[in-house]
Amino acid sequence: MPTVNSSTASGGAVATPWNAEAWQSLRPLLTIERTGPDAFRAAATLTSRGTVFGGLVAALAVLAAGHTAAPGQTPHSLHAYFLRRGTEHPFLDIGVRRVRDGRSFAVREVKVSQGGQTIFVATTSLQASEEGDDWHADVPVTDPGTAAETLPTQRLSDVGRPFEIRHFAAPRKDGFVPLHPFWLRHRGAVPDDPLWQIAALAFISDLGVVMDARPPGSSLPHDVIGVSLDHTVWFHRPARVDEWLLMECDPQSSSGGRSLAHARVSDRAGRLVMTVLQEGLHRHAR
């Protein structure tokens, strides 16, 4: 597979300090090296804020889990907690525990660490393809060409660089312009590997969700920076990230400093590709 190589525990991946070029494509970002039967390592690619993007960590965890499953089994759900911010430590070490192996389903627990500290834990379920009903609730069909000129209040900055993104959100009554909905597609060629495509969707699943969890009429400043706490993703159908995908996000609840958002990703045919629920922490600056 194009996204995993064998190496020793001490070699292989190198640290990637921030630079704009590192964020031009998902291909180098979504690369892991095998350091043991159920152990992997990836370079910790930093954003300009000096942190590691949560969506990148989730994507690497999905890749690692998939590489320990039987051929044909791919992730259909991910339930994760973000425990600590990523740091400048050069590597992300990914450990996988095999919870269950069945003919159709497999379950994996994944732990991502930096410098011996766990920053992310997740459980993912994988399934071999099966026949069944193909139905979902109606998804509005729009066109990427209908993007508006109104720019969102906040920006995706580095993590949005691999994609061509077209925003068309309307301002809320308080003047805040959410990031979603937007159309996006990867700017360059990507692997055909179905596992890689699912990992890329996991990357997308964290794009601005905690920002747009800000409730309407909130007393928080428009430029508040939220922190992702927990993250649940369902991968419903295969999709390619180098083709146009529509991402929508709506705030659902806010209390105790925690805000919950519901996001959906669909393709141009109106097929529901992915559903996301994310809880984030929003606080006034001290």
Side-chain angles (χ1 to χ4, degrees):
M1 294 182 180
T3 54
V4 63
N5 300 296
S6 297
S7 73
T8 64
S10 60
V14 295
T16 307
W18 179 83
N19 65 81
E21 188 64 29
W23 289 95
Q24 297 305 309
S25 171
L26 289 185
R27 294 190 70 148
L29 294 172
L30 301 189
T31 300
I32 59 176
E33 294 186 302
R34 198 168 217 132
T35 58
D38 296 326
F40 302 83
R41 172 170 281 187
T45 305
L46 299 178
T47 69
S48 56
R49 295 180 182 273
T51 61
V52 179
F53 175 50
L56 174 58
V57 178
L60 294 171
V62 165
L63 277 179
H67 284 305
T68 68
Q73 290 179 335
T74 55
H76 69 88
S77 66
L78 174 77
H79 303 272
Y81 285 91
F82 297 96
L83 304 181
R84 293 182 176 90
R85 286 182 180 272
T87 70
E88 294 184 356
H89 190 278
F91 301 115
L92 295 167
D93 289 304
I94 309 164
V96 180
R97 186 171 80 88
R98 301 178 186 231
V99 178
R100 177 179 186 267
D101 281 299
R103 286 181 299 176
S104 297
F105 287 89
V107 176
R108 299 289 186 263
E109 289 181 354
V110 186
K111 180 174 72 173
V112 181
S113 303
Q114 271 191 306
Q117 285 197 318
T118 303
I119 66 170
F120 176 91
V121 293
T123 301
T124 184
S125 180
L126 306 95
Q127 182 190 18
S129 179
E130 296 185 19
E131 294 295 326
D133 292 332
D134 189 5
W135 177 91
H136 57 80
D138 289 341
V139 176
V141 179
T142 59
D143 189 282
T146 61
E149 295 295 327
T150 306
L151 292 177
T153 300
Q154 302 200 48
R155 301 289 187 272
L156 291 173
S157 62
D158 302 316
V159 299
R161 289 179 186 268
F163 306 98
E164 180 181 356
I165 298 177
R166 299 183 184 180
H167 297 275
F168 58 98
R172 295 178 183 167
K173 290 182 179 180
D174 62 358
F176 179 81
V177 184
L179 279 158
H180 307 84
F182 58 72
W183 285 95
L184 83 166
R185 66 177 173 185
H186 194 271
R187 294 183 185 276
V190 296
D192 294 329
D193 177 15
L195 175 60
W196 193 95
Q197 293 284 342
I198 292 172
L201 288 173
F203 182 100
I204 291 170
S205 73
D206 195 34
L207 287 178
V209 177
V210 71
M211 300 178 189
D212 280 1
R214 181 185 185 276
S218 173
S219 61
L220 293 166
H222 285 187
D223 60 351
V224 64
I225 297 175
V227 178
S228 301
L229 295 175
D230 52 85
H231 196 61
T232 300
V233 186
W234 292 270
F235 307 102
H236 304 300
R237 292 169 180 81
R240 294 190 60 90
V241 298
D242 56 349
E243 297 176 356
W244 285 112
L245 297 172
L246 173 65
M247 186 169 186
E248 304 168 275
C249 182
D250 301 302
Q252 299 295 305
S253 176
S254 186
S255 65
R258 303 182 315 277
S259 294
L260 180 72
H262 172 215
R264 301 159 303 285
V265 173
S266 54
D267 62 17
R268 289 193 69 177
R271 299 186 315 145
L272 184 64
V273 169
M274 177 171 64
T275 297
V276 181
L277 282 174
Q278 186 183 84
E279 188 177 46
L281 183 66
H282 287 167
R283 283 177 175 162
H284 286 280
R286 293 187 176 127

